[in-house]
Coordinates of all heavy atoms in Angstrom, one line a residue:
M12 N 75.6 92.7 130.2 CA 74.9 93.9 130.5 C 73.8 94.1 129.5 O 74.0 94.0 128.3 CB 75.9 95.1 130.4 CG 75.4 96.4 131.0 SD 76.8 97.6 131.1 CE 76.3 98.7 129.9
A13 N 72.7 94.5 130.1 CA 71.5 94.7 129.2 C 71.7 95.9 128.3 O 72.2 96.9 128.8 CB 70.2 94.9 130.0
K14 N 71.4 95.8 127.1 CA 71.5 96.9 126.2 C 70.4 97.9 126.5 O 69.3 97.6 126.7 CB 71.3 96.3 124.7 CG 71.9 97.1 123.7 CD 71.9 96.4 122.4 CE 71.1 97.2 121.4 NZ 70.8 96.4 120.2
V15 N 70.8 99.2 126.5 CA 69.9 100.2 126.7 C 69.1 100.4 125.4 O 69.7 100.7 124.4 CB 70.6 101.6 127.1 CG1 69.5 102.7 127.3 CG2 71.3 101.4 128.4
S16 N 67.8 100.2 125.5 CA 67.1 100.3 124.2 C 66.5 101.7 124.0 O 65.9 102.3 124.9 CB 66.0 99.2 124.1 OG 65.1 99.5 125.1
R17 N 66.6 102.1 122.8 CA 65.9 103.4 122.4 C 64.5 103.0 121.9 O 64.3 101.9 121.4 CB 66.7 104.1 121.3 CG 68.0 104.6 121.8 CD 68.8 105.3 120.7 NE 68.7 104.5 119.5 CZ 68.8 105.0 118.2 NH1 68.9 106.2 118.0 NH2 68.7 104.2 117.2
P18 N 63.6 103.9 122.1 CA 62.2 103.6 121.7 C 62.2 103.3 120.2 O 62.8 104.1 119.4 CB 61.4 104.8 122.0 CG 62.3 105.8 122.7 CD 63.7 105.2 122.7
M19 N 61.6 102.3 119.7 CA 61.5 102.0 118.3 C 60.3 102.8 117.7 O 59.5 103.4 118.5 CB 61.2 100.5 118.1 CG 62.4 99.6 118.5 SD 63.8 99.8 117.4 CE 65.0 100.7 118.3
E20 N 60.2 102.8 116.4 CA 59.3 103.7 115.8 C 57.8 103.4 116.2 O 57.0 104.3 116.5 CB 59.4 103.5 114.3 CG 58.5 104.5 113.5 CD 58.8 104.5 112.0 OE1 59.6 103.6 111.5 OE2 58.2 105.3 111.3
T21 N 57.5 102.1 116.3 CA 56.1 101.7 116.7 C 55.8 102.2 118.1 O 54.7 102.8 118.4 CB 55.9 100.2 116.6 OG1 56.3 99.8 115.3 CG2 54.5 99.9 116.9
E22 N 56.8 102.1 119.0 CA 56.6 102.5 120.4 C 56.4 104.0 120.4 O 55.6 104.6 121.2 CB 57.9 102.2 121.3 CG 58.0 100.7 121.5 CD 59.3 100.3 122.1 OE1 60.3 101.0 121.9 OE2 59.4 99.3 122.8
R23 N 57.2 104.7 119.6 CA 57.1 106.2 119.6 C 55.7 106.6 119.1 O 55.1 107.5 119.6 CB 58.1 106.9 118.7 CG 59.5 106.9 119.3 CD 60.4 107.9 118.6 NE 60.6 107.6 117.2 CZ 61.6 106.8 116.8 NH1 62.5 106.2 117.6 NH2 61.7 106.5 115.5
C24 N 55.2 105.8 118.1 CA 53.8 106.1 117.5 C 52.8 105.9 118.6 O 51.8 106.7 118.7 CB 53.5 105.2 116.3 SG 54.5 105.6 114.9
I25 N 52.9 104.9 119.4 CA 51.9 104.6 120.4 C 51.9 105.7 121.5 O 50.9 106.2 121.9 CB 52.2 103.2 121.1 CG1 51.9 102.1 120.1 CG2 51.4 103.0 122.4 CD1 52.4 100.7 120.5
K26 N 53.2 106.1 121.9 CA 53.3 107.2 122.8 C 52.7 108.5 122.3 O 52.0 109.2 123.0 CB 54.8 107.5 123.2 CG 55.3 106.5 124.2 CD 56.7 106.9 124.6 CE 57.3 105.9 125.5 NZ 58.8 106.1 125.7
S27 N 52.9 108.7 121.0 CA 52.4 110.0 120.4 C 50.9 109.9 120.4 O 50.2 111.0 120.7 CB 52.8 110.1 118.9 OG 54.2 110.3 118.9
L28 N 50.3 108.8 120.0 CA 48.8 108.7 120.0 C 48.2 109.0 121.4 O 47.2 109.7 121.5 CB 48.3 107.3 119.5 CG 48.5 107.2 118.0 CD1 48.2 105.7 117.6 CD2 47.5 108.1 117.2
I29 N 48.9 108.4 122.4 CA 48.4 108.6 123.8 C 48.5 110.1 124.2 O 47.6 110.7 124.8 CB 49.1 107.7 124.8 CG1 48.7 106.2 124.5 CG2 48.8 108.1 126.2 CD1 49.6 105.2 125.3
A30 N 49.7 110.7 123.8 CA 49.9 112.1 124.1 C 48.9 113.0 123.4 O 48.4 114.0 124.0 CB 51.3 112.5 123.7
V31 N 48.5 112.6 122.1 CA 47.5 113.4 121.4 C 46.2 113.3 122.1 O 45.5 114.3 122.4 CB 47.3 112.9 119.9 CG1 46.1 113.5 119.3 CG2 48.6 113.3 119.1
L32 N 45.8 112.1 122.5 CA 44.5 111.9 123.2 C 44.5 112.8 124.5 O 43.6 113.5 124.8 CB 44.3 110.4 123.6 CG 43.0 110.2 124.5 CD1 41.7 110.5 123.8 CD2 43.0 108.8 125.1
Q33 N 45.6 112.7 125.3 CA 45.6 113.4 126.6 C 45.6 114.9 126.4 O 44.9 115.6 127.1 CB 46.9 113.0 127.4 CG 46.8 111.6 127.9 CD 48.1 111.1 128.6 OE1 49.1 111.7 128.5 NE2 47.9 110.1 129.4
K34 N 46.3 115.4 125.3 CA 46.3 116.8 125.1 C 44.9 117.3 124.6 O 44.4 118.3 125.2 CB 47.3 117.1 124.0 CG 47.4 118.6 123.6 CD 48.5 118.8 122.5 CE 48.1 120.1 121.8 NZ 48.6 120.1 120.4
Q35 N 44.3 116.5 123.7 CA 43.0 116.9 123.2 C 41.9 116.8 124.2 O 40.9 117.5 124.2 CB 42.7 116.1 121.9 CG 43.6 116.4 120.7 CD 43.5 117.8 120.2 OE1 42.4 118.3 120.1 NE2 44.6 118.3 119.7
A36 N 42.1 115.8 125.1 CA 41.0 115.5 126.0 C 41.1 116.4 127.3 O 40.2 116.4 128.1 CB 41.0 114.0 126.4
G37 N 42.3 117.0 127.4 CA 42.5 117.7 128.7 C 41.8 119.1 128.8 O 41.9 119.8 129.8
R38 N 41.1 119.5 127.7 CA 40.5 120.8 127.7 C 39.5 121.0 128.8 O 39.4 122.1 129.4 CB 39.8 121.1 126.4 CG 40.7 121.1 125.2 CD 39.9 121.2 123.9 NE 40.7 120.7 122.7 CZ 41.6 121.5 122.1 NH1 41.7 122.7 122.4 NH2 42.3 121.0 121.1
D39 N 38.8 119.9 129.2 CA 37.8 120.0 130.3 C 38.3 119.5 131.6 O 37.5 119.3 132.5 CB 36.5 119.3 129.8 CG 36.8 117.8 129.7 OD1 37.9 117.3 129.9 OD2 35.8 117.1 129.3
G40 N 39.6 119.2 131.7 CA 40.2 118.8 133.0 C 40.3 117.3 133.1 O 41.1 116.8 133.9
N41 N 39.6 116.5 132.3 CA 39.7 115.0 132.3 C 40.5 114.7 131.1 O 39.9 114.7 130.0 CB 38.4 114.4 132.4 CG 38.5 112.8 132.2 OD1 39.6 112.3 132.0 ND2 37.3 112.2 132.3
N42 N 41.8 114.3 131.2 CA 42.6 114.1 130.0 C 42.6 112.7 129.5 O 43.4 112.3 128.7 CB 44.0 114.7 130.2 CG 44.9 113.8 131.1 OD1 44.4 112.9 131.7 ND2 46.1 114.1 131.2
S43 N 41.7 111.8 130.1 CA 41.7 110.4 129.6 C 40.6 110.1 128.6 O 40.6 109.1 128.0 CB 41.6 109.5 130.8 OG 40.4 109.6 131.5
K44 N 39.6 111.0 128.5 CA 38.5 110.8 127.6 C 38.1 112.1 126.8 O 38.1 113.2 127.4 CB 37.2 110.3 128.3 CG 37.4 109.0 129.0 CD 36.1 108.6 129.7 CE 36.2 107.2 130.3 NZ 34.9 106.9 131.0
L45 N 37.8 111.9 125.5 CA 37.4 113.1 124.8 C 35.9 113.3 124.9 O 35.1 112.3 124.6 CB 37.7 112.8 123.3 CG 39.2 112.9 122.8 CD1 39.3 112.2 121.4 CD2 39.7 114.3 122.7
S46 N 35.5 114.5 125.3 CA 34.1 114.8 125.3 C 33.7 114.9 123.9 O 34.5 115.0 123.0 CB 33.8 116.1 126.1 OG 34.4 117.1 125.4
K47 N 32.3 115.1 123.7 CA 31.9 115.3 122.3 C 32.5 116.6 121.7 O 33.0 116.6 120.6 CB 30.4 115.4 122.3 CG 29.8 115.4 120.9 CD 28.3 115.4 120.9 CE 27.8 115.8 119.5 NZ 26.3 115.9 119.5
A48 N 32.5 117.6 122.5 CA 33.0 118.9 122.0 C 34.5 118.8 121.7 O 35.0 119.2 120.7 CB 32.8 120.0 123.1
E49 N 35.3 118.1 122.6 CA 36.7 117.9 122.3 C 36.9 117.0 121.1 O 37.9 117.2 120.3 CB 37.3 117.2 123.6 CG 37.4 118.1 124.8 CD 37.8 117.4 126.1 OE1 37.5 116.2 126.1 OE2 38.2 118.0 127.0
S50 N 36.1 116.0 120.9 CA 36.2 115.1 119.7 C 36.0 115.9 118.5 O 36.8 115.7 117.5 CB 35.1 114.0 119.8 OG 35.3 113.2 120.9
L51 N 35.1 116.8 118.5 CA 34.8 117.6 117.3 C 36.0 118.6 117.0 O 36.5 118.7 115.8 CB 33.5 118.5 117.4 CG 32.2 117.6 117.4 CD1 31.0 118.5 117.6 CD2 32.1 116.8 116.2
I52 N 36.6 119.2 118.1 CA 37.8 120.0 117.9 C 38.9 119.2 117.4 O 39.6 119.5 116.4 CB 38.2 120.7 119.2 CG1 37.1 121.7 119.7 CG2 39.5 121.4 119.1 CD1 37.3 122.2 121.1
F53 N 39.1 118.0 117.9 CA 40.2 117.1 117.5 C 40.0 116.7 116.0 O 41.0 116.8 115.3 CB 40.1 115.8 118.4 CG 40.9 114.7 117.8 CD1 42.3 114.8 117.8 CD2 40.3 113.5 117.3 CE1 43.1 113.7 117.2 CE2 41.1 112.5 116.7 CZ 42.5 112.6 116.7
M54 N 38.8 116.3 115.6 CA 38.6 115.9 114.2 C 38.8 117.1 113.3 O 39.4 116.9 112.2 CB 37.2 115.3 114.0 CG 37.2 113.9 114.7 SD 35.6 113.1 114.2 CE 34.8 112.9 115.8
N55 N 38.4 118.3 113.7 CA 38.6 119.5 112.8 C 40.0 120.0 112.8 O 40.3 120.7 111.8 CB 37.6 120.6 113.2 CG 36.2 120.2 112.8 OD1 36.0 119.7 111.7 ND2 35.2 120.5 113.6
T56 N 40.8 119.8 113.8 CA 42.1 120.3 113.8 C 43.1 119.2 113.4 O 43.7 119.3 112.3 CB 42.5 120.9 115.2 OG1 42.3 119.8 116.2 CG2 41.7 122.1 115.5
E57 N 43.2 118.2 114.1 CA 44.2 117.1 113.9 C 43.9 116.3 112.6 O 44.8 115.8 112.0 CB 44.4 116.2 115.1 CG 44.9 116.9 116.3 CD 46.4 116.9 116.4 OE1 47.0 115.9 116.0 OE2 46.9 117.8 117.0
L58 N 42.6 116.2 112.3 CA 42.2 115.4 111.1 C 41.6 116.3 110.1 O 40.7 115.8 109.3 CB 41.3 114.3 111.6 CG 41.8 113.3 112.7 CD1 40.7 112.4 113.1 CD2 43.0 112.6 112.2
G59 N 42.1 117.5 110.0 CA 41.6 118.5 109.0 C 41.5 117.9 107.6 O 40.6 118.2 106.8
A60 N 42.6 117.2 107.2 CA 42.6 116.7 105.8 C 41.4 115.7 105.5 O 41.0 115.6 104.4 CB 43.9 115.9 105.6
F61 N 40.9 115.1 106.6 CA 39.8 114.2 106.4 C 38.5 114.9 106.5 O 37.5 114.4 105.9 CB 39.8 113.1 107.4 CG 41.0 112.1 107.3 CD1 42.1 112.3 108.1 CD2 41.0 111.1 106.4 CE1 43.2 111.5 108.0 CE2 42.1 110.2 106.3 CZ 43.2 110.4 107.1
T62 N 38.4 116.0 107.3 CA 37.1 116.6 107.5 C 36.9 117.9 106.7 O 35.8 118.4 106.7 CB 37.0 116.9 109.0 OG1 38.1 117.8 109.4 CG2 37.1 115.7 109.9
K63 N 37.9 118.4 106.1 CA 37.8 119.7 105.5 C 36.7 119.8 104.3 O 36.1 120.8 104.1 CB 39.1 120.3 105.0 CG 39.7 119.6 103.8 CD 41.0 120.3 103.3 CE 41.5 119.4 102.2 NZ 42.9 119.5 102.1
N64 N 36.6 118.7 103.7 CA 35.6 118.6 102.6 C 34.2 118.2 103.0 O 33.4 118.0 102.2 CB 36.1 117.7 101.4 CG 37.4 118.3 100.8 OD1 37.5 119.6 100.6 ND2 38.3 117.5 100.4
Q65 N 34.1 118.0 104.3 CA 32.9 117.5 104.8 C 31.9 118.7 105.0 O 32.0 119.5 105.9 CB 33.1 116.8 106.2 CG 32.0 115.9 106.6 CD 31.5 115.0 105.6 OE1 30.5 115.2 105.0 NE2 32.3 114.0 105.2
K66 N 30.9 118.7 104.1 CA 29.9 119.8 104.2 C 28.7 119.6 105.1 O 28.1 120.5 105.6 CB 29.4 120.1 102.8 CG 30.4 120.3 101.7 CD 30.9 121.8 101.7 CE 31.8 122.1 100.6 NZ 33.2 122.0 101.0
D67 N 28.5 118.3 105.4 CA 27.3 117.9 106.2 C 27.8 117.9 107.7 O 28.5 117.1 108.1 CB 26.8 116.6 105.8 CG 25.7 116.1 106.7 OD1 25.3 116.8 107.6 OD2 25.2 115.0 106.4
P68 N 27.2 118.9 108.5 CA 27.7 119.0 109.9 C 27.2 117.8 110.7 O 27.7 117.5 111.8 CB 27.0 120.3 110.4 CG 25.9 120.5 109.5 CD 26.3 119.9 108.1
G69 N 26.2 117.0 110.2 CA 25.7 115.9 110.9 C 26.6 114.7 110.8 O 26.5 113.8 111.7
V70 N 27.6 114.7 109.9 CA 28.4 113.6 109.7 C 29.3 113.3 110.9 O 29.4 112.2 111.4 CB 29.3 113.7 108.4 CG1 30.4 112.7 108.4 CG2 28.5 113.6 107.2
L71 N 29.9 114.4 111.4 CA 30.8 114.2 112.6 C 30.0 113.7 113.8 O 30.5 112.9 114.6 CB 31.6 115.5 112.9 CG 32.6 115.9 111.9 CD1 33.4 117.2 112.3 CD2 33.6 114.8 111.6
D72 N 28.8 114.2 113.9 CA 27.9 113.8 115.0 C 27.7 112.3 114.9 O 27.7 111.6 115.9 CB 26.5 114.4 114.8 CG 26.3 115.5 115.9 OD1 27.3 115.9 116.6 OD2 25.1 115.9 116.0
R73 N 27.4 111.8 113.7 CA 27.1 110.4 113.5 C 28.4 109.6 113.7 O 28.3 108.5 114.3 CB 26.6 110.1 112.1 CG 25.2 110.7 111.9 CD 24.5 110.1 110.7 NE 25.0 110.6 109.4 CZ 24.7 111.7 108.9 NH1 23.9 112.6 109.4 NH2 25.3 112.1 107.7
V74 N 29.5 110.1 113.3 CA 30.8 109.4 113.5 C 31.0 109.3 115.0 O 31.4 108.2 115.5 CB 32.0 110.2 112.9 CG1 33.3 109.7 113.4 CG2 31.9 110.2 111.4
M75 N 30.8 110.3 115.8 CA 30.9 110.3 117.2 C 30.0 109.3 117.9 O 30.5 108.5 118.7 CB 30.6 111.7 117.8 CG 30.6 111.8 119.3 SD 32.3 111.8 119.9 CE 32.0 111.6 121.7
K76 N 28.8 109.2 117.4 CA 27.8 108.2 118.0 C 28.3 106.8 117.7 O 28.2 105.9 118.6 CB 26.5 108.4 117.3 CG 25.5 109.2 118.2 CD 24.1 109.0 117.8 CE 23.2 110.0 118.6 NZ 22.7 111.1 117.8
R77 N 28.8 106.6 116.5 CA 29.3 105.2 116.1 C 30.5 104.8 117.0 O 30.7 103.7 117.3 CB 29.6 105.2 114.6 CG 29.4 103.8 114.1 CD 29.3 103.8 112.6 NE 29.4 105.1 112.0 CZ 30.1 105.4 110.9 NH1 30.7 104.5 110.2 NH2 30.1 106.6 110.4
L78 N 31.4 105.8 117.2 CA 32.6 105.5 117.9 C 32.4 105.3 119.4 O 33.1 104.5 120.0 CB 33.6 106.7 117.8 CG 34.2 106.8 116.4 CD1 34.9 108.2 116.3 CD2 35.2 105.7 116.0
D79 N 31.4 105.9 119.9 CA 31.1 105.9 121.4 C 30.4 104.6 121.7 O 29.2 104.5 122.0 CB 30.2 107.1 121.8 CG 30.0 107.2 123.3 OD1 30.7 106.5 124.0 OD2 29.1 107.9 123.6
L80 N 31.2 103.5 121.8 CA 30.6 102.1 122.0 C 29.9 102.0 123.2 O 28.9 101.3 123.3 CB 31.8 101.1 121.9 CG 32.5 101.0 120.5 CD1 33.6 100.0 120.6 CD2 31.5 100.7 119.4
N81 N 30.3 102.6 124.3 CA 29.6 102.4 125.6 C 28.6 103.5 125.9 O 28.1 103.6 127.0 CB 30.6 102.2 126.8 CG 31.4 103.5 127.0 OD1 31.3 104.5 126.2 ND2 32.3 103.4 128.0
S82 N 28.4 104.4 124.9 CA 27.4 105.4 124.9 C 27.5 106.3 126.2 O 26.4 106.7 126.7 CB 26.0 104.8 124.9 OG 25.8 104.1 123.7
D83 N 28.7 106.6 126.6 CA 28.8 107.5 127.7 C 29.1 109.0 127.3 O 29.3 109.9 128.1 CB 29.9 107.1 128.7 CG 31.3 107.2 128.1 OD1 31.4 107.5 126.9 OD2 32.3 107.0 128.8
G84 N 29.0 109.2 126.0 CA 29.1 110.6 125.5 C 30.6 111.0 125.4 O 30.8 112.2 125.1
Q85 N 31.5 110.1 125.6 CA 32.9 110.5 125.5 C 33.7 109.3 124.8 O 33.2 108.2 124.8 CB 33.5 110.6 126.9 CG 32.7 111.5 127.8 CD 33.5 111.8 129.1 OE1 34.4 112.7 129.1 NE2 33.1 111.2 130.2
L86 N 34.9 109.7 124.3 CA 35.7 108.7 123.7 C 36.9 108.4 124.6 O 37.7 109.2 124.9 CB 36.2 109.2 122.3 CG 35.2 109.5 121.2 CD1 35.9 109.9 119.9 CD2 34.2 108.4 121.0
D87 N 36.9 107.1 125.0 CA 38.1 106.7 125.8 C 39.2 106.2 124.9 O 39.0 106.3 123.7 CB 37.7 105.6 126.8 CG 37.1 104.4 126.2 OD1 37.4 104.1 125.0 OD2 36.4 103.6 126.8
L88 N 40.3 105.8 125.4 CA 41.4 105.4 124.6 C 41.1 104.3 123.6 O 41.4 104.4 122.4 CB 42.6 104.9 125.5 CG 43.9 104.5 124.7 CD1 44.5 105.6 123.9 CD2 44.9 103.9 125.6
Q89 N 40.3 103.3 124.0 CA 40.0 102.2 123.0 C 39.1 102.8 121.9 O 39.3 102.5 120.7 CB 39.2 101.1 123.8 CG 38.9 99.9 122.9 CD 40.1 99.3 122.2 OE1 40.9 98.8 122.9 NE2 40.2 99.4 120.9
E90 N 38.1 103.6 122.2 CA 37.2 104.2 121.2 C 38.0 105.1 120.3 O 37.8 105.2 119.1 CB 36.1 104.9 121.9 CG 35.2 103.9 122.6 CD 34.2 104.6 123.7 OE1 34.6 105.7 124.2 OE2 33.2 104.0 124.0
F91 N 38.9 105.9 120.9 CA 39.8 106.8 120.1 C 40.7 106.0 119.2 O 40.8 106.3 118.0 CB 40.7 107.5 121.1 CG 41.8 108.4 120.5 CD1 41.5 109.6 119.9 CD2 43.1 108.0 120.6 CE1 42.5 110.4 119.4 CE2 44.1 108.8 120.1 CZ 43.8 110.0 119.4
L92 N 41.2 104.8 119.6 CA 42.0 104.0 118.8 C 41.2 103.4 117.7 O 41.8 103.1 116.6 CB 42.8 102.9 119.6 CG 43.9 103.5 120.5 CD1 44.5 102.4 121.4 CD2 45.0 104.2 119.8
N93 N 40.0 103.1 117.9 CA 39.1 102.6 116.8 C 39.0 103.6 115.7 O 39.0 103.3 114.5 CB 37.7 102.2 117.4 CG 37.7 101.0 118.3 OD1 38.7 100.2 118.3 ND2 36.7 100.9 119.0
L94 N 38.9 104.9 116.1 CA 38.8 106.0 115.1 C 40.2 106.0 114.3 O 40.1 106.0 113.1 CB 38.6 107.3 115.8 CG 38.9 108.6 115.0 CD1 37.9 108.7 113.8 CD2 38.7 109.8 115.8
I95 N 41.3 106.0 115.0 CA 42.6 106.0 114.4 C 42.8 104.8 113.5 O 43.2 104.9 112.3 CB 43.7 106.1 115.4 CG1 43.6 107.3 116.3 CG2 45.1 106.1 114.7 CD1 43.6 108.7 115.6
G96 N 42.4 103.6 114.0 CA 42.5 102.4 113.2 C 41.7 102.4 112.0 O 42.1 102.0 110.9
G97 N 40.5 103.0 112.0 CA 39.6 103.1 110.9 C 40.2 104.0 109.8 O 40.2 103.7 108.6
L98 N 40.8 105.1 110.3 CA 41.4 106.0 109.3 C 42.6 105.4 108.7 O 42.9 105.6 107.5 CB 41.7 107.4 110.1 CG 40.5 108.2 110.5 CD1 41.0 109.3 111.4 CD2 39.8 108.7 109.3
A99 N 43.4 104.7 109.6 CA 44.6 104.1 109.1 C 44.3 103.1 108.0 O 45.0 103.0 107.0 CB 45.4 103.5 110.2
T100 N 43.2 102.3 108.2 CA 42.8 101.3 107.3 C 42.4 102.0 106.0 O 42.8 101.5 104.9 CB 41.6 100.5 107.8 OG1 42.0 99.9 109.1 CG2 41.2 99.4 106.9
A101 N 41.6 103.1 106.1 CA 41.2 103.8 104.9 C 42.4 104.3 104.1 O 42.5 104.2 102.9 CB 40.3 104.9 105.2
C102 N 43.4 104.9 104.8 CA 44.6 105.4 104.2 C 45.4 104.3 103.5 O 45.8 104.4 102.3 CB 45.5 106.0 105.2 SG 45.0 107.6 105.8
H103 N 45.5 103.2 104.2 CA 46.3 102.0 103.6 C 45.6 101.5 102.3 O 46.3 101.3 101.3 CB 46.3 100.9 104.7 CG 47.0 99.7 104.3 ND1 48.4 99.7 104.1 CD2 46.6 98.4 104.1 CE1 48.8 98.5 103.7 NE2 47.7 97.7 103.8
E104 N 44.3 101.4 102.4 CA 43.6 100.9 101.2 C 43.7 101.9 100.0 O 43.9 101.5 98.9 CB 42.1 100.7 101.5 CG 41.9 99.5 102.3 CD 40.5 99.3 102.9 OE1 39.7 100.3 102.7 OE2 40.3 98.3 103.6
S105 N 43.7 103.2 100.4 CA 43.9 104.3 99.4 C 45.3 104.2 98.8 O 45.5 104.3 97.6 CB 43.6 105.6 100.0 OG 44.2 106.7 99.2
F106 N 46.3 103.9 99.6 CA 47.7 103.8 99.1 C 47.8 102.6 98.2 O 48.5 102.7 97.1 CB 48.7 103.6 100.3 CG 48.9 104.8 101.2 CD1 49.3 104.7 102.5 CD2 48.6 106.1 100.7 CE1 49.4 105.8 103.3 CE2 48.7 107.2 101.5 CZ 49.1 107.1 102.9
I107 N 47.2 101.5 98.5 CA 47.3 100.3 97.7 C 46.6 100.6 96.3 O 47.2 100.3 95.3 CB 46.6 99.1 98.4 CG1 47.4 98.7 99.6 CG2 46.4 98.0 97.4 CD1 46.8 97.7 100.5
K108 N 45.5 101.3 96.4 CA 44.8 101.6 95.1 C 45.6 102.5 94.2 O 45.7 102.3 93.0 CB 43.5 102.3 95.4 CG 42.3 101.4 95.5 CD 41.0 102.1 95.6 CE 39.9 101.2 96.1 NZ 38.8 102.0 96.7
S109 N 46.2 103.6 94.8 CA 47.0 104.5 94.0 C 48.3 103.8 93.5 O 48.7 104.1 92.4 CB 47.2 105.8 94.7 OG 47.8 105.6 95.9
A110 N 48.8 102.9 94.3 CA 50.0 102.2 93.9 C 49.7 101.3 92.7 O 50.6 101.1 91.8 CB 50.6 101.4 95.0
S111 N 48.5 100.8 92.7 CA 48.2 99.9 91.6 C 47.5 100.6 90.4 O 46.9 100.0 89.5 CB 47.3 98.7 92.1 OG 46.0 99.2 92.5
G112 N 47.5 101.9 90.5 CA 47.0 102.7 89.4 C 45.5 102.9 89.3 O 45.0 103.5 88.4
Q113 N 44.8 102.4 90.3 CA 43.3 102.6 90.3 C 43.0 104.0 91.0 O 43.8 104.6 91.6 CB 42.7 101.5 91.2 CG 42.8 100.1 90.6 CD 42.4 99.1 91.6 OE1 41.6 99.4 92.5 NE2 42.8 97.9 91.4
K114 N 41.8 104.4 90.8 CA 41.3 105.6 91.5 C 40.1 105.3 92.3 O 39.3 104.5 92.0 CB 41.0 106.7 90.4 CG 42.2 107.6 90.3 CD 42.3 108.7 91.4 CE 43.6 109.3 91.6 NZ 43.7 110.3 92.6
Ligands
CA213 CA1 32.6 106.2 125.3

């Protein structure tokens, strides 16, 4: 008999990321892509720790432009994951630095 598997941590993380995208993108009725306005709300709410010290309002604009690889003015799942991946990489590097006593 096949073992009934419970979702593993990584699977739960993937589902959570998709749920976040759908929730944040659903404000305008299309829950598969973040519009520019939705992206800004997302970055200021869900990623407040990263954006709160950001004084230059143009930075998020430039981030959005860089992430929008196909230039359709929206972030699809792949583009959204590039953002998450970039932030995860930055966090990981920061953890390694603080673990080794650097600043
Ligand atoms: Ca896009």
Side-chain angles (χ1 to χ4, degrees):
M12 194 169 107
K14 205 169 118 190
V15 177
S16 65
R17 289 181 315 154
M19 294 290 110
E20 190 172 1
T21 306
E22 293 170 330
R23 284 197 302 271
C24 289
I25 292 169
K26 280 186 184 167
S27 291
L28 283 172
I29 293 171
V31 166
L32 173 71
Q33 291 179 340
K34 180 180 157 209
Q35 296 291 327
R38 296 173 201 277
D39 63 2
N41 172 359
N42 74 351
S43 66
K44 293 179 180 182
L45 288 163
S46 68
K47 186 176 168 186
E49 290 166 340
S50 300
L51 293 178
I52 293 171
F53 165 69
M54 287 190 244
N55 283 320
T56 55
E57 296 272 327
L58 301 175
F61 294 96
T62 58
K63 71 177 176 208
N64 293 323
Q65 198 47 256
K66 304 277 187 267
D67 177 359
V70 166
L71 292 183
D72 252 14
R73 291 196 290 278
V74 167
M75 175 73 190
K76 263 202 187 104
R77 209 165 357 140
L78 291 168
D79 184 14
L80 296 176
N81 63 0
S82 303
D83 67 352
Q85 308 192 81
L86 299 184
D87 59 23
L88 178 63
Q89 182 60 64
E90 292 163 336
F91 172 76
L92 291 176
N93 290 343
L94 166 63
I95 302 298
L98 291 171
T100 302
C102 287
H103 181 63
E104 285 167 0
S105 161
F106 292 155
I107 290 171
K108 266 188 197 157
S109 52
S111 66
Q113 297 170 17
K114 264 279 161 179

